[in-house]
Each structure stands twice: as C-alpha cells, then as structure tokens.
Amino acid sequence: MQDIKNKRILSGIQPSGELHIGNYFGAIKQHIEFQKNNECYYFVANLHALTTIQDRRRLEENTIEVAMAYIALGLDPGRACLFAQSDIPEVTELAWILSTVTPLGLLERAHSYKDKISRGITPSHGLFAYPTLMAADILIYDSEVVPVGKDQKQHLEMTRDMAIKFNNIFGETFVIPEEYILPEVAVVPGIDGQKMSKSYGNTIDIFSEYNTLKQKIMGIVTDSTPLEAPKNPDTNTIYQLYRLFATPEEKDEMREKFLKGGYGYAEAKKDLLDKIYTFFHPYRERRKRLLREREYVETVLRNGAKNARARAQHVMERVRNRCGVLKFTYY
Ligand code: ADP
Ligand code: TRP
C-alpha cells in the first residue's frame, strides 16, 4: 500500500446492506490502517443511500450497522472521526452552491448514473445530482486524499472539476483533493468466481456465524477435476480467498498441495472455512458486544459529527464569503 502520512483523509460508505469480505479487503482494511498516520474522516452516506433505499427501517438499521462494523473491525474513535452524513447540514447547502457551477453536460456523462438507470433504478433528480452531493462531502472538510474503489474514480474527477471551476470564478476557496484508488490487488472473488458484489448475490459476509459461513464456503463453484489430479491454485476461487487470510507459509503450503494432487476441493473448503472463521472471530465477538451497546455506537457517531461539523462550518463560512451568500443568524 502506498505510504500516506499526515494527510486529511476522507471517505464515504454507502449503508447498502451487510458488508462482505470484498468490502473488507478492498476498502475497510485500508481505511482503518490510514488512521495510524493521518487525520481520518469516515462517514455513512445515508443521504446518498436515499437515492436507492426508500424504506425507513432499512436505512436506519443499515446506517448503524455500517458504523458498528467499522468500530468492530478496528476503527478507533479516538483517532478517526466516524459520523453520519445527515449530521452535517452544511453538506447539502454546499451541494446546492456547487450545483450552480456544475455544467449539466458534466453530470450527463456520469457512468454511475447511466449504470444505475440501466439497472432499473428510478432516474430521480437526486440520482442525477449524486456527484454534486459527493463533491460537497469531500470539499467541505478540505479533504486532501480520498481513498475509494475504481468505480468512484469519475466522481472524484468531477469533484476536482467543480472545485477548480468554483475557485476560478470566486477565487481560491477549495483544496483540490487527490484521488487514491484502492489497490486492485485485493479484488476478491465471490463464491461463483466473479468479483464479489452484493449485486451478484455471491458474497460471503464478514460477520457470518459458523453455519452460514459453512454453507457459503461449501457452495463455492469448482470444476470437476478429480481428487487425485493436480489443480491450478491461480484459477481456483478457494485458493484466491485463502491467500487473503493466510500467512506466506500457509499460502505456499496450500499451493503445493493443490499442485501435487490428492488434495480435493472439499478438504480445501474445510481449510478455508476454518481460516475465515478464526480470522473474523475477534471482530465477530466485538460486534456482538456492540449490538448490546447501541448507545455507545450512537455516542461515537454524535462525537464524530461534532468534530466534523466544526470543520464543515468553518469551510462553509469561507464559501459563503467568497460567493456573497449572506447569513444573518448563527447557530
Ligand atoms: P458492492 O459491489 O458489493 O455493491 P460496493 O460498491 O458498495 O460493493 O463497495 C464498497 C467498497 O468496497 C468499494 O471501495 C469497493 O471498491 C470495495 N469492494 C467491493 N467489492 C469488492 C471486491 N470484490 N474486491 C475488492 N474490493 C471490493
Ligand atoms: N459514492 C460512494 C460509493 O458509492 C460513497 C460516497 C459518498 C463517497 N460520498 C463520498 C465516497 C465522498 C468518498 C467520498 O461508494
């Protein structure tokens, strides 16, 4: 992982359901590692999620779930700021202001919007304006580095375009954020061998209990190579998953067993099951404790929001001053 130090880092996580091990290795793990050497802001993007989730209970539960998952997986609220997007009203104010300098053509070119409507999501104004809200999320904290998956690359480019455009019109106001595309080495396959993704229904959830996990792992699609025959670890989903959890020695050991033959898929799945179950055991236990201490999670989100909001208010005042939006009251 590229060494990033002493930067203000921000990322948003959609509360769209249970988190899977693709999310863990592709995003959460790095997010948590950044907290050691950087000032980190992570928020649950619940306002963005309203473009696809229109169910009060689900949105509320998913919002808390994501926060709980991050804390269980090692986010330290003393080091990183964790909060809900909806706790920072200045974000929607900034989104409006940015929308006034955003050319329509820029939004019309968004792949993510086109993808979503082709998947049957209603093309609302919110869905179309999604990138201006995301730009506001980023610019309102003077964020310097934004670590995201490559599907979000275009949204970051749009954020930079909006910030540059605003600065050109009104004078230096925004820090232009750098993109940090989370490394592709960690593309985690799902149980059918395709990229693991909620939309493909091939996920293994981080906090699964033993029996659910067993069912998933036993369901991994394999070919019909007989037990005695040598097998190629590099085209084999079991090994591709195992290597994420294993030590270098354990990886070599499984590789060799596959290459030698006499190591069947059922036995390999059992080894994978034990490995994943043990790896997430402490996190699963911590999450169970957090489920009983919901007020603690809420306190973390409240304190996170207070910190983040102080910064957002400061930047927002700068923005209003630059563009002449007067305010006669202060809260
Ligand atoms: P999903 O595809 O399940 O809807 P998201 O798009 O919500 O997942 O992904 C959230 C984050 O997790 C993104 O940063 C993304 O790059 C990362 N991620 C998701 N799936 C994988 C995967 N299979 N391998 C690596 N990273 C992943
Ligand atoms: N659009 C991002 C996603 O779907 C979530 C998000 C919202 C975000 N606002 C953000 C990510 C700001 C980084 C920065 O994954």
Side-chain angles (χ1 to χ4, degrees), residues 39-238:
E39 181 184 337
C40 294
Y41 293 80
Y42 298 126
F43 66 91
V44 186
N46 56 349
L47 295 179
H48 275 115
L50 263 181
T51 59
T52 48
I53 304 181
Q54 294 179 323
D55 174 330
R56 172 192 161 184
R57 280 239 161 285
R58 232 182 100 211
L59 186 59
E60 288 178 353
E61 280 313 307
N62 287 2
T63 303
I64 297 279
E65 265 292 323
V66 172
M68 226 177 248
Y70 264 69
I71 300 170
L73 292 165
L75 179 129
D76 174 355
R79 283 174 182 253
C81 196
L82 180 69
F83 57 101
Q85 184 182 31
S86 51
D87 261 311
I88 318 295
E90 288 74 14
V91 164
T92 45
E93 182 183 353
L94 180 57
W96 171 258
I97 293 179
L98 291 174
S99 79
T100 65
V101 300
T102 308
L104 210 57
L106 186 76
L107 296 176
E108 279 166 351
R109 285 192 293 278
H111 310 308
S112 160
Y113 174 71
K114 288 187 244 173
D115 268 14
K116 286 175 183 163
I117 53 177
S118 73
R119 283 194 278 126
I121 298 175
T122 313
S124 63
H125 172 258
L127 196 68
F128 186 63
Y130 187 113
T132 50
L133 181 59
M134 179 154 163
D137 287 328
I138 296 171
L139 300 174
I140 204 149
Y141 308 104
D142 282 340
S143 312
E144 295 170 309
V145 179
V146 185
V148 285
K150 86 169 183 301
D151 59 316
Q152 297 298 312
K153 185 174 162 59
Q154 191 192 27
H155 283 155
L156 281 186
E157 287 161 1
M158 292 165 105
T159 300
R160 290 165 57 92
D161 285 351
M162 290 178 214
I164 292 170
K165 182 90 182 285
F166 188 99
N167 285 356
N168 282 342
I169 300 174
F170 296 108
E172 281 308 302
T173 308
F174 292 120
V175 171
I176 310 298
E178 283 171 41
E179 60 180 37
Y180 176 88
I181 303 301
L182 292 161
E184 274 293 288
V185 277
V187 170
V188 178
I191 57 170
D192 58 357
Q194 290 188 79
K195 179 185 177 219
M196 186 177 290
S197 170
K198 277 184 295 287
S199 24
Y200 304 148
N202 62 358
T203 58
I204 301 173
D205 293 335
I206 297 174
F207 299 112
S208 299
E209 288 298 343
Y210 191 81
N211 284 338
T212 321
L213 190 62
K214 183 170 174 192
Q215 222 173 8
K216 283 287 174 96
I217 307 265
M218 294 305 157
I220 291 176
V221 178
T222 49
D223 59 26
S224 53
T225 317
L227 193 148
E228 324 71 61
K231 300 171 186 67
N232 182 357
D234 298 320
T235 54
N236 167 336
T237 308
I238 305 173

